[in-house]
Amino acid sequence: MFSIGPHSFTRPILLAPMEDVTDMPFRLVCRRLGADIVYTEFVNAEGLIRESVKAKKKMVFVEEERPFGIQIYGGVEDSMVQAAKLSESVAPDLVDINCGCWVKDIAMRGAGAGLLRDIPKMERLVSSVVKAVKVPVTVKTRLGWDADDIRIIDVAKMLEQVGVQALTVHCRTRVQGHKGDPDYTWIPKVKAAVRLPIIVNGGINTPHDADRAFRETGCDGIMVARGAITNPWIFREIKHYLATGKELPPPTLEERFALMLHHLKESVEFKGERKAILENRKHYSGFLKALPHVSQVRQELMVPETFVEVEAILLRYRDSLLTPDPITAH
Ligand SMILES: Cc1cc2nc3c(=O)[nH]c(=O)nc-3n(C[C@H](O)[C@H](O)[C@H](O)COP(=O)(O)O)c2cc1C
């Protein structure tokens, strides 16, 4: 068990921060399905300071989401301090510093994973943020820049020293991006070196992967990213499997469609109709995964721009699945 601020966790399953994915409506879906901590998409520190509408909107959350973290990124110490203070002003449960983003424009400018190439700068930046705010500060990073430059043990020691409250390790290098197998072998060494809670991230897409991550690494928690897009039910499936050793049956058709429509409705309320309908298209494959004739329906869903039209397609599809065509059913 470990704590972040007033919240205690025993083997928590976290929803990863994901740009263009973990907005408030999707976070709520995952939280209700068992995610123990949810994070915003990463928020640009400079954007926050400029009061950009996009950056401010990313910080909007509702009480039901707690424990809720705001993730910020940037490569300039003063800006990160200001951004952390601005984040703190909306009262999240934690502020997370992104030290792992691999995207060229970010990493090559000394932010995100770029900080792994300048550990003294990472130390100054994180330490200044920790000192500037009362809210707990956590960090998400990678093993290192590339396979020849794995820094995670020293990084974890340094972060513990400066007062970070938990560390998420995406068990790939910056050079790997999001590809290739995560390497969990470093985590037991990190665990042996620090008392800081360690969250393992990378490649956790099934309850079996989750079990393996806990068993092989001795980590304190795990974080799921793409696995939550392809299957938002993964949080409760993992919990059930870890508790019982048995797999939960997949969600019923009624549950799937009710969840989808509820998510869509909340998205429309949060972002406005057209934006919500367009942005939610990315979630259809996950919500409808493995259902019969799904690719045809997904194509149909790419056309409408109103809630009523989407709802009609989904309900028609649901009803066709619940009452199979008597000719094809035999
Ligand atoms: C669409 C997408 C957006 C992402 N955005 C962020 C982000 O804003 N902040 C962050 O720390 N990581 C971000 N990541 C990385 C994930 O949080 C995670 O570290 C990575 O996908 C590995 O986990 P996985 O193998 O479970 O997908 C993003 C990943 C994806 C696929």
Side-chain angles (χ1 to χ4, degrees), residues 16-324:
M18 281 184 281
E19 168 77 340
D20 289 333
V21 178
T22 55
D23 55 17
M24 187 244 273
F26 189 68
R27 293 194 304 263
L28 276 173
V29 165
C30 296
R31 184 83 184 95
R32 289 169 187 155
L33 289 171
D36 292 296
I37 303 180
V38 296
Y39 296 81
T40 58
E41 310 162 62
F42 65 176
V43 185
N44 182 334
E46 309 294 340
L48 261 191
I49 296 165
R50 280 198 320 270
E51 302 204 330
S52 105
V53 175
K54 187 179 172 199
K56 280 167 75 180
K57 180 112 191 182
K58 282 184 179 177
M59 297 202 303
V60 175
F61 70 102
V62 290
E63 289 299 306
E64 191 187 345
E65 292 182 57
R66 293 190 186 279
F68 157 82
I70 296 178
Q71 190 191 59
I72 55 174
Y73 76 95
V76 178
E77 191 181 319
D78 286 349
S79 306
M80 288 294 275
V81 166
Q82 278 191 64
K85 287 183 179 165
L86 290 167
S87 304
E88 183 175 41
S89 71
V90 302
D93 297 286
L94 62 93
V95 170
D96 187 74
I97 301 180
N98 181 315
C99 300
C101 181
W102 68 298
V103 172
K104 202 167 153 195
D105 272 359
I106 292 171
M108 292 305 187
R109 289 190 191 160
L115 290 162
L116 285 165
R117 292 213 290 192
D118 189 348
I119 309 290
K121 177 179 165 185
M122 189 197 288
E123 178 170 359
R124 286 193 302 276
L125 190 152
V126 175
S127 167
S128 298
V129 169
V130 171
K131 284 186 194 134
V133 292
K134 290 198 183 67
V135 68
V137 175
T138 60
V139 166
K140 179 167 178 279
T141 191
R142 290 174 179 256
L143 295 176
W145 186 262
D146 59 32
D148 297 326
D149 190 27
I150 303 291
R151 299 293 192 92
I152 195 60
I153 297 174
D154 288 342
V155 166
K157 284 185 191 162
M158 176 274 284
L159 293 173
E160 178 168 55
Q161 201 77 43
V162 303
V164 160
Q165 297 211 9
L167 169 63
T168 301
V169 185
H170 177 186
C171 296
R172 296 186 176 95
T173 62
R174 188 267 162 184
V175 166
Q176 281 181 289
H178 290 159
K179 296 208 184 97
D181 287 336
D183 179 357
Y184 294 157
T185 60
W186 289 93
I187 302 300
K189 298 175 207 162
V190 173
K191 283 291 298 169
V194 292
R195 298 184 59 195
L196 187 64
I198 302 294
I199 316 294
V200 160
N201 167 239
I204 300 171
N205 299 312
T206 66
H208 295 270
D209 295 336
D211 184 41
R212 183 186 143 224
F214 275 118
R215 270 190 296 105
E216 287 185 10
T217 68
C219 64
D220 300 278
I222 55 171
M223 178 184 275
V224 180
R226 284 165 294 178
I229 308 177
T230 51
N231 174 20
W233 287 272
I234 189 168
F235 299 97
R236 78 169 185 206
E237 290 173 358
I238 290 175
K239 285 189 168 168
H240 184 83
Y241 186 76
L242 293 179
T244 65
K246 297 197 178 82
E247 285 179 30
L248 261 187
T252 62
L253 285 174
E254 284 86 349
E255 186 185 1
R256 280 199 207 217
F257 286 90
L259 186 82
M260 271 182 96
L261 286 168
H262 194 66
H263 174 233
L264 197 57
K265 211 174 245 171
E266 285 190 327
S267 303
V268 168
E269 280 160 19
F270 183 57
K271 321 177 180 178
E273 186 166 32
R274 187 164 182 276
K275 193 167 179 343
I277 302 294
L278 298 185
E279 290 187 2
N280 274 28
R281 288 177 181 171
K282 66 169 89 69
H283 291 296
Y284 294 138
S285 8
F287 283 125
L288 298 172
K289 196 166 142 196
L291 294 180
H293 317 298
V294 69
S295 53
Q296 191 188 324
V297 176
R298 272 210 324 265
Q299 269 181 346
E300 276 180 56
L301 286 166
M302 293 303 132
V303 181
E305 294 186 4
T306 65
F307 177 82
V308 178
E309 289 169 288
V310 172
E311 183 184 41
I313 296 174
L314 286 174
L315 293 181
R316 203 171 54 235
Y317 180 45
R318 181 198 64 184
D319 292 345
S320 76
L321 295 171
L322 286 170
T323 45

